[in-house]
Each structure stands twice: as structure tokens, then as C-alpha cells.
Amino acid sequence: MKVALILNENRPLSTYPSVFNTAHILSKKGWKVSLFVPENMIVDYELKNVKIIKFAITKQAIIGLLPTLFKYTRGYNLLISFHQYALIGAGLINLFYRIPFVYFCLEILAFDQIMSFKSKIRKRLEIFFNKRAVLTIVQDVVRKNMIFNLHKLNNETIFCVPNSYMGIVNQNGDYLRKKWGIPEDRIIVLYAGGIEQWAIDEKIIAAVKDWDDKFVFVLHGWSRDGYIEKLRPIINEINMEKTKIYLSEDTLSIHEYEQMVSSADIGLCWYRKNLPENVKKIGFSSGKFSSFLRSGLPVIVPTYLEGISNFIEKYQFGIEVPDEFEIKKALTTISSDYQKFRNNAFQFYKERIDFEINFEKVFNKLNDILRLDYFR
């Protein structure tokens, strides 16, 4: 089977585990895999036996993508598109070459996030082509219901595969302790992700001031909107007496990222209140959530995030709290029975979150579809 994966995004490839894991699994199963990415994308994840094809960056992304798809995809058996522009491109190719396509949806943009006329047109095109995809993949049942209602899809064609990795990282490293000189008797609480205004607010920093001194907070990530500069003075003020917050802005390879996460003790899977629907229902599409559990980190999450809280109550791999200032109580609870929470985090990841286990049902369905020569 010959398959093209299409990704039109601007972060390094290593930050898209759903993409490189899909490529890796299909290649391992003997499929001929090509990955189409923008010409400026940093391909920082080694994919054996996967052909990388780059397309031009243009103001309207579809204009740069389409000529490359037309040139290379004739004769392919399947297209797998990630996000809006890639789906529209795959849908247009299908009209000409009759190649079946899959929509692996990484972001469900509801109409509460769509303001401009162009964005509304693009959303309508996304829905139009999504209805024609042979499969749609989202990350969990909450998001499945969301896209089912928003795009009016056939429920039987929607599959759930968490935004996650393959296998666990069962090690207690010293990456963060070495990097920042954090004493062995301190418990490291890690936030890893966007340090941006849409994701967190300054209350997450202010709350650390009241934490017990045995806990330290590592804030790792990127800031494309400059929000980090607003947080920096607050961090400096809290750190005046003793260092409680460490700000990490390094760009890490996937191996370094694994080392960093596994060297922490507790993961803070946090998003601010008053979120758009796509983020409020982030569930298993949260990259930090899966990376924390993969390394056995008990997690603390806000109660207003849908798709995680019911699992926390049942599987006991973390604690949910209503706001930033309740995090300190959760830290004390987790640290008092740490090994139980850690074991539960590993177990839940292996049973429910691991990418390869969840992707198997998608692979079997794709085999059935292509075996029947679905479109030809």
C-alpha cells in the first residue's frame, strides 16, 4: 500500500506525535509512506523508510500545497490529512484522482473560534470534505461527540486515537536537577507547553508563592505571543527570597524532552478558564497529559476540562482541582501516597493512552477499506 501523510503546520515535527507515530507504524507494517510537510518545517524526528516531500509556503497555504500533491500523489492508495488545510487539499485531490482519504483531526475549531469571513469559508470546506472522508480520527469520546455534532458525520466512521506516544518511559532521570541545580529533597512539579495567554494566566504563577517549600515549579515551553515577558517579573518577585520557579525556554529534541519529563515528579496539566470549546474539551488531545502519564507522573488538572475528570476519579492517577490556588492541596495529597499515583499513571497509560494500541483498530479498518477497493 502506498500512503501519503499531509501536514501543514509550523512547529517542529517532533511536536506532532500523532503524525510521526502514524508514519512509523504504517512503515513498520510494510506500507510505502510519504510525508508532505511545509518547506520550512524542522524535521527533527528520524523516520526510517519514510519519504519526506516538502511543499512551498504561500500566503494562502492551499496554493503552495496543491501543486505538490497533484505532482506526487497520483497512484497512491490512501491520503491521511492532519488539520484543515491538509484535509481540503486531500479532498480536492480525491476529486481528480479518486484516492480515498482520512481526516486525522488534531484541532476541532468550533464556530466560537471562527470570526473572519475567510475562516468561515475554510470551516465550511473542512466540513464538506470531512463528510467525504472514509474515516475521521479524533482523540477521545468527548471530541468524537463534538465533531459528530459539529460536522454531522456518520458515527461509525469516527475513531479515537489519543495524542500520545508509543511505550512508556520508566526512569527517574536527573535532567532537571542537573540543569537547574535543584536539590534532591525538592519535589519537581512540571508544566510543559505553551506559555501563552490563550493557555495559562498569571494566577498559575502567583499560586506557587503559597506552595510548601519542598515543591518547586518548572515552567517549560514556548511563547509566540510574548506573554512570557508579562510573567517574568512575577516569577522574579516570587524567587526573591528563594528559588521556587524555574523558567525553561530551551528548544528540546524529542529525546531531551523525554529526559526532562521523566526527571520531574508531578505533571501540571493546566489550562486557563473561559476556554473556547476546542480547548475546554481537550481531553486526550493534550500532549502534556499523555507525556506526563507515559513517564509515570501523577497529574493535576482543572475540573473544568472535559474528558479527563471521570478517568481521574476511577483510575486514581492524579487529582482535579477547581482553580490554581487549590493546586497546593493536591500536591500534598499526591506526595503523601506518591507510588500509588505513579503506578496508576503507568497503568492507565498502557491500557488507555498508548498510541500503537489505539491505532491498531484504525489500521485494521483501513485494510478492510482498501481491500474492498473502496473508491475504484
Side-chain angles (χ1 to χ4, degrees):
M1 293 295 178
K2 198 173 181 181
V3 58
L5 277 56
I6 309 165
L7 176 66
N8 182 49
E9 296 290 344
N10 56 12
R11 300 198 314 264
L13 179 60
S14 65
T15 64
Y16 296 98
S18 294
V19 180
F20 63 70
N21 283 328
T22 299
H24 176 77
I25 291 171
L26 295 180
S27 175
K28 188 172 71 171
K29 289 181 179 290
W31 290 27
K32 294 182 179 179
V33 181
S34 297
L35 174 59
F36 290 76
V37 297
E39 60 187 354
N40 65 345
M41 172 170 274
I42 299 171
V43 181
D44 57 348
Y45 186 91
E46 183 181 0
L47 286 168
K48 295 180 180 178
N49 303 316
V50 174
K51 184 178 181 181
I52 304 295
I53 301 173
K54 296 197 171 186
F55 55 86
I57 300 297
T58 55
K59 188 173 181 180
Q60 295 298 323
I62 199 71
I63 296 173
L65 173 61
L66 266 181
T68 305
L69 292 180
F70 273 113
K71 181 178 179 180
Y72 289 102
T73 58
R74 184 188 290 273
Y76 277 67
N77 302 102
L78 182 71
L79 309 175
I80 301 179
S81 56
F82 297 84
H83 209 35
Q84 266 188 352
Y85 276 120
L87 170 66
I88 295 168
L92 291 171
I93 291 296
N94 168 260
L95 295 177
F96 289 90
Y97 293 164
R98 310 301 294 169
I99 304 170
F101 62 98
V102 172
Y103 186 25
F104 201 137
C105 182
L106 304 179
E107 298 281 350
I108 306 175
L109 295 177
F111 285 99
D112 64 342
Q113 289 181 273
I114 301 169
M115 303 301 171
S116 71
F117 178 74
K118 285 184 179 179
S119 297
K120 290 177 182 177
I121 294 296
R122 193 162 61 242
K123 184 64 184 180
R124 294 297 180 189
L125 287 171
E126 178 193 8
I127 294 172
F128 175 83
F129 285 117
N130 192 185
K131 290 176 181 291
R132 286 149 182 79
V134 294
L135 289 183
T136 299
I137 305 170
V138 291
Q139 292 70 38
D140 58 33
V141 173
V142 171
R143 295 177 76 78
K144 178 179 179 178
N145 291 334
M146 182 180 175
I147 202 167
F148 170 76
N149 292 318
L150 186 63
H151 291 191
K152 309 300 181 187
L153 303 177
N154 178 347
N155 192 55
E156 294 181 0
T157 66
I158 310 173
F159 285 71
C160 298
V161 180
N163 179 30
S164 60
Y165 303 84
M166 295 191 292
I168 62 171
V169 180
N170 192 0
Q171 60 187 36
N172 294 108
D174 58 2
Y175 181 93
L176 287 171
R177 295 189 191 279
K178 274 188 173 181
K179 179 178 176 61
W180 299 107
I182 300 173
E184 289 290 334
D185 62 348
R186 297 294 190 270
I187 298 171
I188 300 175
V189 183
L190 175 65
Y191 170 92
I195 308 174
E196 299 177 323
Q197 196 158 13
W198 71 267
I200 60 174
D201 63 31
E202 58 195 63
K203 285 185 287 186
I204 194 74
I205 307 299
V208 178
K209 186 176 182 180
D210 295 327
W211 289 7
D212 189 290
D213 286 344
K214 67 181 179 181
F215 298 103
V216 296
F217 185 37
V218 175
L219 188 66
H220 171 82
W222 59 88
S223 183
R224 292 164 293 192
D225 61 1
Y227 186 59
I228 197 168
E229 299 308 322
K230 183 177 180 180
L231 300 180
R232 210 180 295 274
I234 306 172
I235 294 171
N236 292 338
E237 183 179 348
I238 292 172
N239 285 344
M240 283 183 67
E241 290 186 16
K242 61 177 65 177
T243 303
K244 299 186 76 169
I245 302 175
Y246 299 87
L247 183 58
S248 171
E249 302 173 75
D250 296 341
T251 300
L252 304 179
S253 68
I254 190 164
H255 177 64
E256 290 170 327
Y257 182 78
E258 289 174 0
Q259 287 184 311
M260 179 194 69
V261 173
S262 63
S263 69
D265 299 298
I266 297 171
L268 190 56
C269 186
W270 203 263
Y271 298 87
R272 65 183 299 159
K273 285 184 178 178
N274 303 317
L275 300 161
E277 190 176 10
N278 176 47
V279 185
K280 185 170 65 175
K281 296 181 177 180
I282 197 165
F284 293 176
S285 70
S286 170
K288 60 176 71 69
F289 176 71
S290 62
S291 65
F292 292 159
L293 294 184
R294 183 193 189 204
S295 295
L297 271 61
V299 296
I300 299 172
V301 302
T303 53
Y304 45 82
L305 282 189
E306 297 183 38
I308 297 178
S309 59
N310 55 323
F311 291 107
I312 283 186
E313 184 177 350
K314 182 177 180 180
Y315 292 93
Q316 297 291 297
F317 54 80
I319 293 180
E320 56 175 350
V321 296
D323 60 55
E324 292 87 346
F325 296 97
E326 295 296 315
I327 291 171
K328 62 180 180 180
K329 293 180 183 177
L331 293 174
T332 301
T333 302
I334 290 173
S335 62
S336 67
D337 199 0
Y338 184 77
Q339 198 57 47
K340 181 197 83 170
F341 282 101
R342 179 173 173 80
N343 292 342
N344 290 346
F346 277 132
Q347 191 65 27
F348 183 73
Y349 181 86
K350 287 187 285 186
E351 290 181 5
R352 303 298 296 265
I353 305 296
D354 185 89
F355 188 92
E356 190 166 19
I357 292 171
N358 284 278
F359 193 79
E360 189 64 24
K361 59 185 178 290
V362 174
F363 179 76
N364 293 336
K365 184 64 175 179
L366 289 176
N367 263 334
D368 290 342
I369 291 170
L370 296 176
R371 193 179 296 118
L372 291 171
D373 203 19
Y374 190 88
F375 263 90
R376 302 190 181 217

